[in-house]
Amino acid sequence: QKHIRLLRCTNTTSEEVELPATIPRSLDDFLQLDQPDHTLDNGSAGGPSTGSMGRVTFGTGTGKERKDEYLLHFYKAIDRGITQLLKDDPAPLVIAGVEYELTLYKTESKFPRLVDEGVRGAPDGLKGGELHKRALEVVQPYWDKDIEEALAMFDQLGPERTSLSLKEIVKAAHDGRVLH
């Protein structure tokens, strides 16, 4: 909610990606609200039907009661921007945040390569490469799934459409006949 970042990671490195202006950097920036310097409470004398209640108080509130709704709109705006930014990038997206926020983000996300699991915990509290390490752990099943699907296809196709010979594989790849 306070510091949105996008990190591009490899197995050994991570670097922050500059976000376009269309992606909000924080919930406060997204809402463009300043904290009021006072509470706008008003009161009115109760009428004869209010019994012993002498005064009715009403006010504007601070918006806390609508925070989930604000967060959903915030996450939707982030997701739109990230989806546009990464539309041609085949890499998966791993999100990091507290459990409550991960769940809310996933309900709004339309990103096609969003990894089911996220890094749980406050990302700004993870130091010394811990965020990178935990993201790699979360994304590993995503990569394993592709390998498992390719191996299952290998078994299904049989020896007439598969090869273990490096020489045959290189020739077939040169001819554009290799799927995996």
Side-chain angles (χ1 to χ4, degrees):
Q1 295 180 35
K2 295 179 183 175
H3 184 211
I4 300 300
R5 297 179 290 156
L6 178 64
L7 303 174
R8 181 173 307 279
C9 299
T10 68
N11 281 338
T12 56
T13 66
S14 67
E15 63 181 354
E16 191 165 343
V17 175
E18 186 170 339
L19 296 174
T22 56
I23 298 177
R25 304 305 192 279
S26 71
L27 181 60
D28 288 342
D29 290 346
F30 175 71
L31 295 174
Q32 297 179 348
L33 295 176
D34 291 327
Q35 206 51 15
D37 59 353
H38 61 285
T39 303
L40 297 177
D41 284 335
N42 291 301
S44 173
S49 65
T50 60
S52 64
M53 183 174 69
R55 181 173 172 85
V56 177
T57 304
F58 54 94
T60 59
T62 61
K64 288 181 183 175
E65 61 277 352
R66 297 182 59 190
K67 188 170 185 177
D68 284 355
E69 184 178 341
Y70 295 147
L71 281 173
L72 286 173
H73 291 294
F74 175 54
Y75 293 149
K76 190 179 287 189
I78 292 169
D79 192 65
R80 273 193 309 267
I82 293 293
T83 300
Q84 180 63 32
L85 179 66
L86 301 178
K87 67 181 176 200
D88 297 324
D89 190 331
L93 177 66
V94 176
I95 58 175
V98 296
E99 182 75 31
Y100 172 75
E101 294 173 338
L102 295 177
T103 303
L104 284 176
Y105 187 91
K106 285 184 217 175
T107 63
E108 290 303 315
S109 180
K110 304 286 187 243
F111 191 79
R113 293 171 308 283
L114 179 64
V115 176
D116 288 335
E117 289 296 314
V119 175
R120 289 172 171 75
D124 290 338
L126 300 174
K127 304 292 182 206
E130 184 66 20
L131 179 60
H132 180 243
K133 178 182 167 232
R134 289 173 61 183
L136 287 176
E137 291 169 0
V138 166
V139 82
Q140 189 61 47
Y142 178 89
W143 297 122
D144 290 347
K145 181 179 68 167
D146 290 344
I147 293 168
E148 289 169 11
E149 288 172 1
L151 288 173
M153 184 182 288
F154 181 86
D155 289 341
Q156 182 182 14
L157 293 174
E160 61 278 350
R161 296 196 54 205
T162 61
S163 178
L164 295 174
S165 165
L166 185 58
K167 186 176 181 179
E168 286 181 31
I169 294 169
V170 170
K171 183 178 179 338
H174 184 269
D175 295 341
R177 297 183 299 120
V178 172
L179 180 61
H180 294 286

